[in-house]
Amino acid sequence: MTAHPERAQIQLANVLSAVGNPLRLCIVRVLADGCEHTCGSIVDGVPKSNLTHHYRVLRDAGIIWQRVSGRETLQSLRREDLDARFPGLLDSLLAAARSEAGEPAPAKARTNPENAVIT
C-alpha cells in the first residue's frame, strides 16, 4: 500500500476528480458515517479488483484513510483533513449526492436567539 498524502498535499482537483465517479461518491457517502469499514462491506456486486482501484484513487486523492487490521483493510473518511483544506466542500458534496439520490437532508439543530440549541 502506498503512503497517504499529507494534509497539505491534498489538491482540490484530485478530490473533485475522484468523487466525480458515481461508485467512488457512493463509497464516500457510506464512509461519511464516521466509522471504519472493511473493503467488502461498503458496496455489493462490484468485483474486488474494481474496488481496489477505486479505493486507491480515493486514497491517493486524500479522501480516505486505509489501514490493515489482521487480514482486512479498513477504510475511513479523512473528514478532518478535508474540512481543514476545503471548508464546507465535503458537506456540499454529500448534500448534493443525497439530493440526486432523492434522499432527504439530515435534520439540523436550530438555534434560538440566545444560542440555545433547539431540537
Side-chain angles (χ1 to χ4, degrees), residues 9-72:
Q9 296 173 317
I10 300 173
Q11 299 296 311
L12 181 61
N14 294 340
V15 171
L16 294 176
S17 177
V19 297
N21 177 282
L23 179 59
R24 291 193 289 265
L25 184 56
C26 177
I27 293 168
V28 170
R29 287 180 61 210
V30 172
L31 295 176
D33 69 1
C35 298
E36 289 185 313
H37 295 267
T38 60
C39 291
S41 70
I42 298 175
V43 291
D44 293 324
V46 179
K48 185 178 178 182
S49 60
N50 286 6
L51 285 176
T52 299
H53 164 73
H54 290 294
Y55 292 137
R56 186 183 74 241
V57 170
L58 291 169
R59 182 192 66 232
D60 291 348
I63 298 172
I64 66 170
W65 290 114
Q66 288 185 310
R67 73 176 184 90
V68 175
S69 176
R71 295 179 48 185
E72 298 283 345

Side-chain angles (χ1 to χ4, degrees), residues 63-119:
I63 298 172
I64 66 170
W65 290 114
Q66 288 185 310
R67 73 176 184 90
V68 175
S69 176
R71 295 179 48 185
E72 298 283 345
T73 300
L74 301 174
Q75 292 16 266
S76 61
L77 188 63
R78 292 180 67 173
R79 179 175 276 282
E80 185 177 312
D81 290 335
L82 292 168
D83 287 345
R85 287 285 290 147
F86 314 110
L89 176 66
L90 189 56
D91 290 331
S92 294
L93 289 171
L94 294 169
R98 278 192 299 273
S99 176
E100 284 185 359
E103 296 175 8
K108 292 184 179 180
R110 297 175 292 141
T111 59
N112 66 15
E114 291 80 35
N115 291 326
V117 174
I118 303 171
T119 56

